[in-house]
Amino acid sequence: MSKPRHIFYISDRTGLTAENIGEALLNQFGNLEFKRYTYPFINTVEKAQEVIAKVNANAEANGERPIAFVSVVNDEIRNMIKTANAYQINFFETFLGALEKELNAEATLASQGHHSIGNTQRYDARMEAVNFSLNHDDGVSDKNLQEADVILMGVSRSGKTPTCLYLALQYGIRAANYPLIPDDLESSDLPRMVKPYKDKLFGLTIQPERLQAIRQERRPNSTYAQINTCRSEVADAQAMFKRHGIPFTNTTDKSVEELAVYILQACQLKRRF
């Protein structure tokens, strides 16, 4: 088996942009193994020197230069990082020149990154949505539930909470979620708490085998984690969705990012910022 290729994400901000684009590219090489290192806030000469030393040491130790995805605005720091012994993809140098030519304008190279607070209204919208999702997690409260943009329903551990938080943080969507318990699944009606908001409901389902594996990690060897329990709950939840005309999707092979976009499209929701 070949050794993993070492990947460095180097950024003067959070590193999320470098990671997102870099991962999208690396995912095209599914037959290869990678080991990743992220170095955010490389915004001084001293920090640049430290990360260069780490990259060079990695190259020497492994006998192969790593790959570095670099998202650094400052010319001095970016030029320093170029001296590191790595195959480098610099996002600003790759794209800005072409954009400047097309727009017939010079980039200002703003010091605030894509993931900084920047526009306070956009940031406040994100935080408000996150707080809403946290306050309406697992059906803990129906207070102001009418303000929800979407209410996710599904059996325990089907992916409701992470999807709600991702929708809130990335899109400013007020996403609540409601866990389907055995009493709900035995009823022919919708749960009382969410019944008034049927038009906002969206269901999540999952393969019973995957659900069993997830539950086994949480509560090993419990009735909750038995495969028969998982099969029964999933079947009953899907029957409820179909009976009441609630749209739903299977989360088994979808990442939280894919789920969020699918729900946005299916429910015709608009980003708040």
Side-chain angles (χ1 to χ4, degrees), residues 10 39-40 161-162 182 232 255 264:
I10 303 171
Y39 292 94
T161 296
S232 175
S255 67
L264 285 174

Side-chain angles (χ1 to χ4, degrees), residues 6-10 19 35-39 58 62:
H6 291 241
I7 308 296
F8 281 77
Y9 294 111
I10 303 171
E19 287 181 336
K35 187 171 183 179
R36 299 158 173 84
Y37 311 86
T38 300
Y39 292 94
N58 182 281
N62 291 286

Side-chain angles (χ1 to χ4, degrees), residues 95-114:
F95 300 116
L96 272 186
L99 274 174
E100 286 178 329
K101 183 177 180 181
E102 178 64 25
L103 296 172
N104 193 28
E106 186 174 345
T108 59
L109 298 179
S111 59
Q112 287 186 322
H114 173 65

Side-chain angles (χ1 to χ4, degrees), residues 50-79:
E50 290 176 6
V51 79
I52 290 168
K54 287 181 170 67
V55 170
N56 291 343
N58 182 281
E60 183 174 355
N62 291 286
E64 182 178 45
R65 64 178 180 172
I67 296 171
F69 294 100
V70 182
S71 176
V72 173
V73 173
N74 183 276
D75 287 336
E76 179 184 8
I77 295 174
R78 189 170 65 247
N79 286 330

Side-chain angles (χ1 to χ4, degrees), residues 3-261:
K3 296 188 303 181
R5 193 70 181 265
H6 291 241
I7 308 296
F8 281 77
Y9 294 111
I10 303 171
S11 173
D12 55 2
R13 298 299 302 174
T14 63
L16 293 175
T17 298
E19 287 181 336
N20 288 338
I21 302 177
E23 288 299 304
L25 294 171
L26 294 178
N27 284 341
Q28 309 311 307
F29 302 90
N31 58 327
L32 299 180
E33 184 179 355
F34 301 104
K35 187 171 183 179
R36 299 158 173 84
Y37 311 86
T38 300
Y39 292 94
F41 302 112
I42 305 301
N43 50 16
T44 67
V45 169
E46 292 74 20
K47 291 179 180 179
Q49 291 171 336
E50 290 176 6
V51 79
I52 290 168
K54 287 181 170 67
V55 170
N56 291 343
N58 182 281
E60 183 174 355
N62 291 286
E64 182 178 45
R65 64 178 180 172
I67 296 171
F69 294 100
V70 182
S71 176
V72 173
V73 173
N74 183 276
D75 287 336
E76 179 184 8
I77 295 174
R78 189 170 65 247
N79 286 330
M80 286 182 63
I81 292 171
K82 283 182 183 178
T83 67
N85 185 15
Y87 175 76
Q88 300 189 28
I89 298 175
N90 188 294
F91 297 122
F92 282 97
E93 290 188 351
T94 300
F95 300 116
L96 272 186
L99 274 174
E100 286 178 329
K101 183 177 180 181
E102 178 64 25
L103 296 172
N104 193 28
E106 186 174 345
T108 59
L109 298 179
S111 59
Q112 287 186 322
H114 173 65
H115 295 281
S116 65
I117 289 181
N119 185 314
T120 56
Q121 288 183 327
R122 292 177 60 188
Y123 182 79
D124 289 345
R126 291 166 62 193
M127 293 305 101
E128 189 277 333
V130 169
N131 286 330
F132 183 91
S133 292
L134 290 173
N135 290 332
H136 295 84
D137 184 40
D138 266 351
V140 296
S141 173
D142 61 357
K143 183 180 180 181
N144 301 324
L145 195 56
Q146 71 275 9
E147 296 179 7
D149 297 310
V150 65
I151 303 170
L152 302 186
M153 290 176 60
V155 300
S156 174
R157 315 310 293 178
S158 57
K160 301 181 300 299
T161 296
T163 306
C164 281
L165 290 175
Y166 190 87
L167 282 166
L169 187 59
Q170 296 296 325
Y171 300 101
I173 298 298
R174 296 190 188 101
N177 76 76
Y178 182 87
L180 292 171
I181 60 175
D183 285 349
D184 296 324
L185 296 172
E186 292 169 4
S187 172
S188 61
D189 203 357
L190 286 171
R192 178 195 57 80
M193 181 183 289
V194 298
K195 186 175 180 179
Y197 314 108
K198 179 183 175 182
D199 292 343
K200 297 183 178 185
L201 297 179
F202 189 90
L204 298 184
T205 187
I206 187 172
Q207 287 181 359
E209 293 75 15
R210 175 59 180 154
L211 181 61
Q212 192 268 339
I214 296 171
R215 289 183 172 184
Q216 182 68 13
E217 291 183 2
R218 185 174 176 84
R219 298 184 195 170
N221 304 318
S222 64
T223 302
Y224 169 79
Q226 288 179 356
I227 187 62
N228 288 340
T229 301
C230 296
R231 286 173 177 158
S232 175
E233 289 189 12
V234 168
D236 289 344
Q238 291 182 179
M240 176 186 286
F241 299 152
K242 293 174 182 177
R243 184 164 60 246
H244 295 283
I246 297 169
F248 66 95
T249 190
N250 193 309
T251 67
T252 306
D253 297 315
K254 290 186 177 73
S255 67
V256 68
E257 295 89 350
E258 290 172 317
L259 275 172
V261 173

